[in-house]
Amino acid sequence: MCVFMFSELVEASYDPISTSQSLSLVQILSNLIQYYPTLNPESKNLNTLLNTIVLKLRNAIENDVFIPIYPKQMMEGRMNYFFQRQFAMGVKLLSNIVRWQGIVSDEIVFELALDALLNRYLLLAIRISDPFQAAAKCYMVILTILKIEFSILVTKLEQ
């Protein structure tokens, strides 16, 4: 019953871009899974909750992340500020997606984090940045990717 209510709450108000909400929800679910043996991978309510979370993450990638691609001549002033802000939001979302590792299936976390967000948006933004900004952006992304459990990352990259 509690998990069903969490599912409704997540669907209504969870913002995947919010680090505090993501941390809290990850902590709550980790504790529930750890202390309640009936919450296992076969649990219908838990699967519903996890599917709701994955759907919210996908929707955030599709609808909230927009990194404009303009020629370098146009990337001055307000355009550059918007571009930098959107990139930082994308990295923040990447960090929040990685936090779900160990709760949500690793394949889904990698698909969302690496395929949908990193490859589609963040790497493209790095490519069009000047070298100094590109190095800073790479550093931000690498710090986030280092949160992924290394053994699982190696397994995924070998596939």
Side-chain angles (χ1 to χ4, degrees):
M1 183 67 170
C2 178
V3 176
F4 177 75
M5 290 176 14
F6 271 127
S7 182
E8 295 289 322
L9 182 65
V10 165
E11 187 173 350
S13 63
Y14 172 54
D15 179 15
I17 296 176
S18 170
T19 301
S20 61
Q21 287 183 21
S22 294
L23 284 172
S24 297
L25 193 55
V26 166
Q27 185 64 41
I28 289 169
L29 282 177
S30 295
N31 289 338
L32 284 174
I33 291 169
Q34 181 180 0
Y35 295 118
Y36 292 96
T38 58
L39 291 178
N40 54 40
E42 291 82 32
S43 171
K44 180 181 174 186
N45 288 333
L46 181 63
N47 282 328
T48 302
L49 175 58
L50 294 178
N51 287 336
T52 302
I53 290 167
V54 169
L55 182 63
K56 292 291 274 191
L57 293 170
R58 284 186 204 282
N59 286 340
I61 292 170
E62 295 295 324
N63 300 326
D64 295 339
V65 176
F66 172 71
I67 299 177
I69 307 301
Y70 296 113
K72 288 187 181 185
Q73 298 83 5
M74 291 184 66
M75 293 296 286
E76 296 175 3
R78 295 180 126 194
M79 291 290 194
N80 189 33
Y81 177 74
F82 180 71
F83 175 79
Q84 301 301 335
R85 189 176 48 163
Q86 289 298 104
F87 183 84
M89 187 177 68
V91 172
K92 184 177 180 182
L93 180 59
L94 179 65
S95 177
N96 291 339
I97 291 171
V98 168
R99 293 179 201 287
W100 288 102
Q101 186 179 4
I103 297 174
V104 174
S105 166
D106 288 335
E107 290 82 22
I108 293 173
V109 170
F110 283 118
E111 186 260 321
L112 291 172
L114 300 180
D115 294 338
L117 187 56
L118 181 66
N119 289 339
R120 189 183 316 162
Y121 294 108
L122 300 180
L123 288 180
L124 187 59
I126 291 170
R127 284 188 199 129
I128 66 164
S129 298
D130 65 36
F132 180 73
Q133 286 182 348
K137 287 176 176 37
C138 287
Y139 182 72
M140 290 170 57
V141 170
I142 288 171
L143 286 179
T144 303
I145 290 177
L146 287 176
K147 295 176 186 174
I148 298 175
E149 194 171 316
F150 187 70
S151 60
I152 297 171
L153 183 60
V154 170
T155 304
K156 176 66 177 171
L157 292 175
E158 289 176 350
Q159 292 178 351

